[in-house]
Amino acid sequence: MNTIRQSWQSWLRQDPALSAAVLVLWLLLMLFVVFPFAMLLVRIGQGTDGFDWPGVAKLLTDRHQIRAFGNSMWLATVVGIAGTALGFVFAFTVSRARLPAWSVALLDAALLLPLVSPPFTTAIAMIFSFGSRGLITYELLGFKNFQLYGMWSTAFSETLTFFPIAYLTLKPMLMAIDSNVESMAASLGASRWRVFHTVTLPLAAPGLANAFLLVFAASLADFATPLILAGNQFPVLPTQAYLQITGLFDLRGGAVLSLVLLVPAIAVFFVQRHWVAKRQYVTVTGKGAGQVAFDSMSPIARIAMVGFCAGVAVVVVYLYALLFYASIVVALGANHSFTLQHYKAIFTDGIKAIVDTLIIAGIATPLGGLYGVLLGYLVARKQFAGRKTMEILSMFNYALPGTIVGIAYLIAFNEPPIALAGGATIIIACYVFRYGPTGIRATVALLQQIDPSLEEASGSLGASSVQTFRRVTLPLILPAFFAGLGVVFIRSMTAISATIFLVSIGWTLITVRILENMTELALGPAAAFSVLVVVIVFVVMAAINRALRMFRAPGAGGVSNVLGA
């Protein structure tokens, strides 16, 4: 014990700033990551007379919940496959069709729309298009009482919402594949199709697996889109957990159902790891060799792929344009007279939600960015006890479905000794520790490109670790800091799966008001709120990108997209 105490004292004296930062981060991780999940597990097994595992088993074997679990798995699998395939088509087209820069920029802008808007925005636009009074089904085709709701409409909406995640995951991987490998296969007589399915596609397997995992998990945790589009005939587990808490006031039952979502997510993760680990995918070796351009597509295939991607992009833009149109007419499908009444409503009755959301986002954004850069710097550059454990714990809330995180926070902070429920602090903490890890990963990735000798030289000249971090390291990893800022702000404006359980009369959010408007059939204000969110996010992201260009140090690394990848 004396030896351990002496080593700790020596470490504290050697670098007080480092030790203080590590201790503070450990305290925060214990409080906002470990403690909520531990309380969730305790609440799940806790009955009136102690642990009640039979009660848990009874809930899990209820036929309605089993049906909801099966529906969730089916929906997530369909969306995962469709979203990954669609994302791959876009990534392959952008990376191999030799498109002009302006057309790639247009495609990226169109695909950015679902990422910077609430996840159920496309569901609202689909109701405007294909609902009983929809612009297409009723106005153009004359269908009356068209039934939109069900599994396939939900899957279509989620696929359009989440496939840009797959696109952003696969695009840099396809661009990184050495074209010499494909050229060598072609020189041996292989056709374009044979090169694609024997060389390019296998080398993209890690990206495809990761993309499927991300899209699958996003669909599995989404409750708002099924709540709007799935209907009573297709219940899914996230909506069942939400209704269990808000409808039946059964917090324990909701916790049990939400935790079940973790099982398939973990299973898919390990299957993906096992599949990818069985083969080798290295193509970037560092050995000098000129890049030989390989013409991956025939002219006909190029036209077909570009046309398909343009068509999908047009559909996405159409849905958001229709959303804007619905926000400036009296009632889409009934009265198309121009009006600004919906915007007047959100800036009067909904002004509290707007102000609350901006305040929370304004506080969470810099805290999340600082948290991501600081923790990423410590785990990538410093040596201390528990470094790997800290890195794993920091990603825990990010990896969990949002429903689990929200319910865990509600259980942990709903009563003394740490009663934060109902205030802004709990929502801010949820955003920081759930979305800040994007900045952590971006920081670690950028630090791998920066020679540690730069920081060592600063230390050898007498600079402290704080001075070295502030004057040398931070300017070089500013892209990671701004990536963290961007992600936390976007999610602060658009997330709902975790924070739906944390809002109160005192503090509410725009996304919650949109969902309330949808349930009350106030579609015009819901559209106006959605348009407002998209505009705010685009303006703030433009400001963040401009700030990055102004303050970025020469030689600093970069990130390829707004999500920090």
Side-chain angles (χ1 to χ4, degrees):
M1 290 295 293
N2 289 333
T3 304
I4 296 175
R5 183 167 58 252
Q6 289 173 359
S7 63
W8 271 89
Q9 290 173 350
S10 174
W11 178 65
L12 289 171
R13 287 194 300 268
Q14 185 178 4
D15 197 336
L18 171 64
S19 58
V22 170
L23 291 175
V24 169
L25 285 173
W26 267 119
L27 178 63
L28 292 174
L29 288 171
M30 289 295 111
L31 179 60
F32 292 112
V33 177
V34 177
F35 176 65
F37 191 70
M39 292 301 296
L40 176 69
L41 296 178
V42 170
R43 177 60 68 90
I44 285 175
Q46 192 173 20
T48 54
D49 300 319
F51 284 91
D52 180 24
W53 297 118
V56 174
K58 181 180 179 181
L59 180 64
L60 293 179
T61 54
D62 181 84
R63 62 185 182 89
H64 297 291
Q65 310 305 348
I66 293 175
R67 181 189 175 201
F69 176 75
N71 289 344
S72 295
M73 290 296 297
W74 173 233
L75 177 64
T77 302
V78 170
V79 173
I81 294 173
T84 303
L86 195 56
F88 181 81
V89 170
F90 269 80
F92 188 78
T93 302
V94 168
S95 62
R96 301 305 170 91
R98 301 179 184 177
L99 298 176
W102 63 266
S103 61
V104 175
L106 287 178
L107 280 178
D108 286 347
L111 299 192
L112 195 62
L113 286 170
L115 297 177
V116 300
S117 59
F120 48 86
T121 302
T122 55
I124 301 174
M126 283 185 62
I127 292 176
F128 289 142
S129 292
F130 306 108
S132 59
R133 303 284 292 188
L135 185 64
I136 294 178
T137 51
Y138 181 80
E139 295 287 338
L140 295 181
L141 301 179
F143 295 156
K144 296 182 179 179
N145 299 321
F146 182 80
Q147 293 301 316
L148 169 68
Y149 305 97
M151 184 271 174
W152 292 109
S153 61
T154 306
F156 180 79
S157 177
E158 287 191 350
T159 299
L160 285 183
T161 300
F162 299 131
F163 91 88
I165 299 174
Y167 166 71
L168 293 177
T169 303
L170 291 164
K171 179 182 173 183
M173 172 163 283
L174 287 173
M175 287 184 166
I177 293 177
D178 191 348
S179 60
N180 290 331
V181 179
E182 297 167 310
S183 298
M184 285 187 290
S187 67
L188 294 173
S191 64
R192 289 189 180 95
W193 168 248
R194 186 170 179 82
V195 171
F196 171 76
H197 77 84
T198 60
V199 178
T200 309
L201 194 61
L203 289 175
L208 289 168
N210 288 331
F212 175 81
L213 177 63
L214 291 171
V215 178
F216 178 89
S219 173
L220 195 66
D222 184 22
F223 85 94
T225 303
L227 194 65
I228 295 172
L229 286 179
N232 296 328
Q233 301 302 315
F234 192 79
V236 293
L237 214 54
T239 58
Q240 292 295 99
Y242 171 71
L243 296 174
Q244 195 82 16
I245 294 175
T246 60
L248 301 178
F249 304 102
D250 181 8
L251 189 58
R252 176 170 168 268
V256 172
L257 295 178
S258 69
L259 196 63
V260 173
L261 295 172
L262 194 58
V263 177
I266 292 176
V268 170
F269 171 76
F270 281 109
V271 169
Q272 172 250 7
R273 288 288 298 272
H274 175 71
W275 177 53
V276 171
K278 290 193 300 183
R279 303 178 67 178
Q280 296 293 325
Y281 304 95
V282 175
T283 65
V284 182
T285 63
K287 298 178 180 179
Q291 292 285 317
V292 179
F294 175 68
D295 193 5
S296 303
M297 302 182 191
S298 66
I300 295 177
R302 182 177 291 106
I303 293 173
M305 296 281 280
V306 172
F308 176 79
C309 291
V312 174
V314 167
V315 170
V316 173
V317 173
Y318 156 76
L319 291 175
Y320 282 85
L322 183 61
L323 200 69
F324 172 72
Y325 180 66
S327 72
I328 58 173
V329 297
V330 175
L332 188 66
N335 186 347
H336 289 192
S337 300
F338 173 77
T339 182
L340 293 177
Q341 189 63 36
H342 303 314
Y343 286 97
K344 180 180 179 181
I346 68 172
F347 282 110
T348 52
D349 297 338
I351 191 64
K352 176 175 172 51
I354 296 173
V355 173
D356 288 352
T357 302
L358 290 175
I359 291 174
I360 290 173
I363 297 174
T365 297
L367 290 179
L370 181 61
Y371 164 73
V373 165
L374 180 59
L375 199 148
Y377 169 73
L378 291 177
V379 299
R381 280 291 195 259
K382 300 297 181 180
Q383 297 294 328
F384 55 90
R387 181 172 62 92
K388 287 295 183 182
T389 305
M390 175 181 283
E391 184 177 10
I392 293 172
L393 281 180
S394 69
M395 301 301 297
F396 196 67
N397 279 5
Y398 184 78
L400 289 175
T403 311
I404 297 178
V405 177
I407 295 176
Y409 270 55
L410 179 62
I411 291 172
F413 303 116
N414 198 37
E415 55 190 26
I418 310 174
L420 300 177
T425 303
I426 189 173
I427 303 176
I428 293 170
C430 180
Y431 285 146
V432 170
F433 290 93
R434 177 157 170 74
Y435 302 115
T438 303
I440 297 174
R441 301 317 308 163
T443 301
V444 171
L446 287 183
L447 285 173
Q448 290 174 347
Q449 302 172 3
I450 299 173
D451 193 337
S453 62
L454 292 173
E455 297 156 300
E456 294 169 1
S458 174
S460 67
L461 293 173
S464 66
S465 59
V466 175
Q467 290 173 321
T468 299
F469 175 75
R470 181 170 57 87
R471 296 179 178 179
V472 178
T473 310
L474 185 57
L476 292 173
I477 58 174
L478 271 181
F481 174 68
F482 283 103
L485 291 181
V487 170
V488 176
F489 182 81
I490 289 173
R491 298 310 182 197
S492 298
M493 295 296 299
T494 63
I496 189 171
S497 59
T499 48
I500 186 68
F501 303 99
L502 307 178
V503 296
S504 64
I505 297 177
W507 290 89
T508 189
L509 299 170
I510 292 177
T511 50
V512 176
R513 285 301 305 270
I514 296 174
L515 195 60
E516 291 174 353
N517 285 332
M518 291 300 299
T519 57
E520 297 167 1
L521 298 181
L523 303 184
F529 266 128
S530 301
V531 171
L532 178 66
V533 169
V534 173
V535 171
I536 291 175
V537 170
F538 265 112
V539 169
V540 173
M541 291 309 301
I544 289 176
N545 289 332
R546 182 175 179 82
L548 174 59
R549 288 194 296 269
M550 289 176 59
F551 297 109
R552 182 175 176 179
V559 290
S560 62
N561 60 67
V562 74
L563 296 181

